Amino acid sequence: MSLPKTLADDVARNLVMVAQLIDDDPEQAYAYSRIALRLASRVAAVREAAGFAAYATQKYAEALAEFRAAKRMTGNVDLWPVMADCERGLGRPERAMAMAGEPEVAKLDKAGQVEMRMVAAGARRDMGQIEAAIVTLQGPELASHSVQPWTARLRYAYADALLSAGREDEAREWFGKTVEADKDAATDASDRLAELDGVEFVDALVDDEDDEDDVEDDAEDDDLDVVKDEDDAEGDDEDTTGH
């Protein structure tokens, strides 16, 4: 659907703000997405952006409705995994599992299929089927030594599932493999690995603030001592004068 140039520019500006803010300020991104939606609700890209903004703010019912609208407009199945994850967010893991078995999954590219596998594993965990979740994540993509855009997140999900199953040694191994693949530090795998190894992190900023407070307290005590000494000296002078 084409829009008049002025309207198209306004919509584009709002979509740019959604993209820029969605990671750091999802609530503000959501607000911009609502503006774009009011301006051009019949544009698939707007519905998709609105869906992701709602998803980022955990408004899963709203996100699912927007994703469904975008899918109807384009016929594209790329949103299938995130739609299934919305079902999880709504407390319906069994629907997410059903979606994992639908024909749409076969139409996804490799990245989409891996994403769908992670969503299905999450649904298994939601239902208390932790061992089934672990098996769901296993496959050639997990075993591959090549690093793809999804590798770190897949390994992390596997490590986390292993840890939930009480398989700590294996979890430590896979958190380590996640760190190797996670060049952009998109996960907290290094922190999880350190926790398993018993490493405790100290907030240097908090320590510095505590040190500064101690110095200020010491300075205040010194000032009080000086005032006390001065008062004592004045008292002695008064006694001497009085005699």
Side-chain angles (χ1 to χ4, degrees):
M1 178 181 178
S2 60
L3 299 172
K5 186 178 186 310
T6 301
L7 179 58
D9 289 344
D10 287 343
V11 172
R13 279 193 292 269
N14 282 282
L15 293 184
V16 167
M17 294 306 298
V18 172
Q20 290 180 346
L21 294 169
I22 196 165
D23 291 330
D24 298 325
D25 192 350
E27 289 291 347
Q28 192 62 38
Y30 174 78
Y32 279 107
S33 76
R34 301 307 296 176
I35 296 172
L37 197 58
R38 286 197 298 271
L39 294 173
S41 62
R42 295 184 181 181
V43 175
V46 171
R47 303 303 290 266
E48 183 174 331
F52 278 110
Y55 179 82
T57 53
Q58 299 183 2
K59 297 177 176 66
Y60 297 116
E62 189 174 319
L64 185 58
E66 298 300 341
F67 290 142
R68 284 173 173 166
K71 182 178 179 294
R72 283 196 303 271
M73 291 176 180
T74 65
N76 198 319
V77 298
D78 290 351
L79 296 171
W80 197 251
V82 71
M83 290 169 64
D85 206 41
C86 286
E87 295 285 7
R88 286 187 60 213
L90 291 167
R92 302 190 295 236
E94 68 286 349
R95 293 194 185 183
M97 285 302 306
M99 291 179 69
E102 292 293 331
E104 282 83 353
V105 177
K107 301 176 184 178
L108 295 169
D109 60 13
K110 180 59 68 176
Q113 290 179 0
V114 171
E115 191 69 31
M116 192 70 238
R117 186 177 301 168
M118 287 189 280
V119 172
R124 291 288 190 190
R125 292 185 63 173
D126 294 342
M127 294 186 289
Q129 302 171 4
I130 186 62
E131 292 297 336
I134 291 171
V135 172
T136 299
L137 292 167
Q138 294 171 347
E141 294 83 11
L142 182 66
S144 175
H145 294 294
S146 66
V147 175
Q148 303 295 333
W150 62 77
T151 302
R153 292 180 58 246
L154 179 61
R155 291 179 181 179
Y156 184 93
Y158 189 61
D160 191 50
L162 289 168
L163 189 60
S164 294
R167 294 158 63 174
E168 188 172 305
D169 290 340
E170 293 172 85
R172 181 183 289 104
E173 176 188 353
W174 281 96
F175 277 128
K177 290 182 178 181
T178 302
V179 172
E180 293 173 2
D182 193 6
K183 303 304 181 186
D184 298 327
T187 72
D188 64 348
S190 59
D191 292 342
R192 300 291 298 277
L193 186 61
E195 289 174 6
L196 287 173
D197 289 336
V199 177
E200 293 185 6
F201 293 98
V202 177
D203 192 331
L205 180 59
V206 172
D207 285 349
D208 289 344
E209 291 176 351
D210 290 342
D211 290 342
E212 290 175 3
D213 290 341
D214 290 341
V215 170
E216 290 175 0
D217 290 341
D218 290 342
E220 290 176 1
D221 290 341
D222 290 342
D223 290 341
L224 290 173
D225 290 341
V226 170
V227 171
K228 184 175 182 299
D229 291 342
E230 290 176 351
D231 290 342
D232 291 343
E234 290 177 2
D236 291 341
D237 290 341
E238 290 175 359
D239 291 343
T240 302
T241 304
H243 289 292

